[in-house]
Amino acid sequence: MARVHVIANQKGGVGKTTVTVNLAAVVADTLGSNVDKPSVLGVSTDPQASMLEWAERVGDALPFDFAQCHDDPGSLSKLRQFEQYDHIFVDTPGSLEDEAILQTVLAQADDVIVPLEPEPMSFSPAARSIQRVIAPSGARWRVLLNNWDPRDGEADLAQTQGFVQAKGWPVFNTVIRHYKLHARASAEGVTVVQYAKNRVALEARQDFFRLALEVLGSDGQAPRHAREADAPREA
Ligand SMILES: Nc1ncnc2c1ncn2[C@@H]1O[C@H](COP(=O)(O)OP(=O)(O)O)[C@@H](O)[C@H]1O
Ligand SMILES: [Mg+2]
């Protein structure tokens, strides 16, 4: 059964699409080397379809299969049954109007990644999404600090980490730093695995490799869906 990773936060501009595309690319590039049987699917459920535009610009170099599914609730409600994939990464809308789509995919989620910018204006919308929609889904969820620019100093990061800790939210150790390369990638039609071979690109890519290891777990396997783990085992 496919493991479904949902990237969610009902605030726009926090990095959902950036994280979905680059995480799917890293996992596909590492695990999906067999071209005849791609093991990774990227799904966009955002009616604004920014992942679709990005995927089209990358074209044949996209290392994972891609589907735009915002108007296909039938497929969205059975993502885990897409047996041909090991991992499915799902980008979701950044608007409250599309909450029904988000709820449909969260019901399929093995784990949820909640990108959060180190920026106080982002805290309340993230808290609302987590409390109203993400936590009640029963899926395992973790906050991901994204788009931190080390040149701005540690204060914003420390404040954000303090906020997350005070809330008692689970959080990834990996922080995705701000790089111009990430900001330009969609327009240039590349993902992290196609970045040029130089030191800055290596650093930018490294954040996504570290995140992939955390998402997949130390044994390369994501933890099973919470509800499934609770289910009685067959005798
Ligand atoms: N780590 C990062 N480094 C640089 N730019 C980033 C980073 N994360 C996101 N961005 C930029 O921020 C903007 C919003 O990101 P996006 O992934 O589209 O957010 P969302 O999907 O949540 O609306 C985009 O222009 C994107 O390129
Ligand atoms: Mg987006």
Side-chain angles (χ1 to χ4, degrees):
M1 201 173 338
R3 291 173 195 276
V4 178
H5 313 272
V6 174
I7 294 77
N9 182 338
Q10 287 162 300
K11 184 174 189 307
V14 295
K16 291 180 293 294
T17 302
T18 303
V19 170
T20 309
V21 168
N22 288 321
L23 190 54
V26 160
V27 173
D29 200 54
T30 316
L31 304 179
S33 46
N34 183 347
V35 196
D36 297 331
K37 183 188 172 295
S39 62
V40 177
L41 173 69
V43 174
S44 166
T45 65
D46 184 357
Q48 288 188 20
S50 50
M51 186 172 172
L52 169 67
E53 289 167 18
W54 190 345
E56 283 176 349
R57 283 191 286 260
V58 181
D60 289 344
L62 195 71
F64 53 87
D65 283 357
F66 174 77
Q68 175 67 38
C69 292
H70 68 278
D71 53 2
D72 185 3
S75 293
L76 292 180
S77 60
K78 51 177 201 284
L79 285 177
R80 302 175 82 215
Q81 293 165 27
F82 289 8
E83 306 255 341
Q84 66 270 46
Y85 296 104
D86 297 323
H87 296 279
I88 302 181
F89 293 91
V90 187
D91 189 16
T92 62
S95 89
L96 295 167
E97 290 108 77
D98 299 306
E99 193 162 295
I101 294 177
L102 181 56
Q103 276 172 334
T104 303
V105 288
L106 284 173
Q108 297 287 302
D110 286 281
D111 61 288
V112 185
I113 299 166
V114 187
L116 176 68
E117 287 186 307
E119 150 68 54
M121 295 277 282
S122 309
F123 296 173
S124 302
R128 263 199 305 279
S129 281
I130 289 169
Q131 282 154 11
R132 275 168 39 93
V133 195
I134 296 171
S137 76
R140 173 193 165 109
W141 60 272
R142 280 174 283 180
V143 170
L144 170 67
L145 303 189
N146 174 49
N147 212 3
W148 172 58
D149 193 337
R151 291 169 304 183
D152 293 342
E154 301 272 338
D156 290 344
L157 182 63
Q159 187 186 13
T160 309
Q161 285 167 329
F163 173 79
V164 167
Q165 200 173 16
K167 286 279 185 190
W169 290 345
V171 62
F172 287 99
N173 293 322
T174 306
V175 173
I176 306 285
R177 290 167 290 182
H178 173 88
Y179 282 96
K180 280 252 161 57
L181 281 166
H182 296 324
R184 292 194 194 117
S186 171
E188 294 188 352
V190 292
T191 71
V192 272
V193 299
Q194 284 108 23
Y195 287 1
K197 290 189 168 56
N198 59 49
R199 187 185 56 83
V200 174
L202 182 66
E203 283 173 9
R205 193 163 46 225
Q206 184 189 26
D207 289 347
F208 280 100
F209 276 103
R210 291 184 61 214
L211 175 63
L213 288 173
E214 278 196 77
V215 169
L216 302 187
S218 53
D219 57 356
Q221 302 286 309
R224 270 290 174 198
H225 195 274
R227 285 186 289 270
E228 196 172 289
D230 292 342
R233 290 188 187 185
E234 282 175 42

